[in-house]
Amino acid sequence: MMKSAFRWGLPLIILAFLLWGSLFLYYPIEIRPLAALQAFLPDGDEIAKITVTDLRLPRALVGMILGANLAVAGALLQTITRNALASPTLLSVNSGASLAMVTASAFSPLILSGYSIALVASIGGGISWFVVMLISNGWKDNSGDRSRVILAGIAVSLLCAALTKLVLIIAEDHAFGIMSWLAGGIAHARWNELLTLFPFFILTALFCLLFASRLNLLNLSDESARSLGINLFRLRWYANIMALLIVGSSVSVAGPVAFIGLLVPHLARYWIGYDLRKSLPMAMLLGAILMLAADTIARAVNFPSEVPAGA
């Protein structure tokens, strides 16, 4: 019992300190640590209130949700493909979503309004993921060599990256803004971006709660899972659609942020075990920690300027 409390308590404490630090660490406008907390009180300093609640708090919350969502997306893709290297980046979901966003913003910027941003990114990621599964024969159960999915993902990622560069060359006027977005980061994140991500975060949490026990069965052989009454085709489709929605919404807000979807699921399994009922929530927690830490480091390495957290 004590060991379990430690494994959950330590990440929660780290996350709380990182959230607090993200309100005052490495910003051009200096706010004392205590003043950052007092900004939430009625008698707090007015300038600190505006700076913290309007600028820094939504940025930190977006970072937490973004990291949590991407970590779950990576865990779902690794479970679906039964491949430890699977991630939104390696399986071309990120690059497909990025290509769709770049193309839409360069040639039809009016489409990027409201929730259609996440929809455009999800469609792009879905198309590239569908192509990966098609050419690798990944839809078939017992498809044999699972490395084919990764190889196909790398190939489609390179194709999407080449097409993205082509769009940048053609749409030269939009190149600077697009390149800044492609670097990935949350420096621009405000309450509107949080409102875009939050519904997908709730959807992610509900999916993990409802489907984690059934997703555990994907770690068995297909015959064993079917003998327990699981419709594998339907379950894989649900997990695929969920991963695409998560990645699409994340890319639409912060650009293509890599590494979290690959690394964090492994950290979560190492820390809490392979049971997805525990490892998925832990992945959300560790993803939030990693993204907040990356954003803080991004502000620190070139202070008072900052580099994109995705870098």
Side-chain angles (χ1 to χ4, degrees):
M1 186 68 181
M2 288 292 292
K3 187 176 181 181
S4 178
F6 170 77
R7 289 189 181 277
W8 287 101
L10 181 61
L12 284 169
I13 292 171
I14 293 173
L15 180 62
F17 273 101
L18 279 172
L19 178 58
W20 179 33
S22 67
L23 302 179
F24 64 86
L25 284 174
Y26 300 108
Y27 286 101
I29 299 175
E30 185 179 355
I31 292 179
R32 290 176 288 107
L34 189 58
L37 294 178
Q38 292 172 339
F40 298 100
L41 301 176
D43 57 347
D45 180 72
E46 198 63 33
I47 295 177
K49 273 187 180 183
I50 295 172
T51 304
V52 170
T53 59
D54 290 350
L55 301 177
R56 299 181 185 179
L57 179 62
R59 174 176 177 164
L61 294 177
V62 165
M64 289 170 57
I65 292 177
L66 186 76
N69 284 355
L70 289 174
V72 170
L76 290 177
L77 292 174
Q78 288 173 13
T79 302
I80 294 165
T81 61
R82 293 179 186 152
N83 195 309
L85 291 176
S87 72
T89 304
L90 282 178
L91 295 182
S92 85
V93 181
N94 265 354
S95 56
S98 300
L99 175 59
M101 286 285 292
V102 167
T103 305
S105 61
F107 299 114
S108 184
L110 291 178
I111 199 173
L112 300 181
S113 59
Y115 287 98
S116 62
I117 301 175
L119 180 62
V120 168
S122 296
I123 291 172
I127 292 172
S128 62
W129 173 233
F130 178 79
V131 172
V132 168
M133 297 299 280
L134 188 66
I135 64 179
S136 66
N137 210 19
W139 297 114
K140 285 190 175 182
D141 298 337
N142 297 317
S143 57
D145 186 6
R146 295 280 171 179
S147 64
R148 287 184 301 178
V149 178
I150 299 298
L151 293 173
I154 293 172
V156 175
S157 291
L158 292 173
L159 174 63
C160 290
L163 292 175
T164 300
K165 291 176 183 177
L166 178 63
V167 172
L168 287 174
I169 293 171
I170 295 172
E172 193 175 353
D173 295 341
H174 302 274
F176 179 76
I178 293 173
M179 286 298 293
S180 299
W181 175 82
L182 283 174
I186 55 174
H188 64 287
R190 301 295 180 263
W191 290 110
N192 284 339
E193 284 72 23
L194 181 66
L195 291 175
T196 299
L197 274 181
F198 190 70
F200 295 95
F201 175 71
I202 297 298
L203 194 62
T204 301
L206 288 174
F207 185 85
C208 293
L209 183 66
L210 296 173
F211 286 91
S213 57
R214 276 175 275 183
L215 288 169
N216 271 330
L217 299 178
L218 292 178
N219 294 319
L220 304 174
S221 67
D222 290 344
E223 291 78 9
S224 300
R226 285 198 194 92
S227 68
L228 295 171
I230 297 298
N231 187 326
L232 290 177
F233 182 78
R234 185 185 301 169
L235 182 59
R236 285 188 175 114
W237 261 107
Y238 288 160
N240 268 309
I241 292 170
M242 191 68 231
L244 292 174
L245 287 174
I246 293 170
V247 175
S249 62
S250 301
V251 169
S252 70
V253 167
V257 178
F259 198 57
I260 290 178
L262 175 63
L263 174 69
V264 172
H266 293 287
L267 292 176
R269 286 190 287 268
Y270 171 79
W271 186 249
I272 203 71
Y274 282 79
D275 186 348
L276 289 170
R277 291 172 295 180
K278 295 179 180 179
S279 66
L280 284 178
M282 181 57 70
M284 295 176 78
L285 188 56
L286 295 180
I289 289 173
L290 183 58
M291 190 64 205
L292 273 186
D295 189 47
T296 303
I297 294 169
R299 295 194 304 271
V301 293
N302 196 29
F303 185 80
S305 301
E306 65 176 272
V307 297

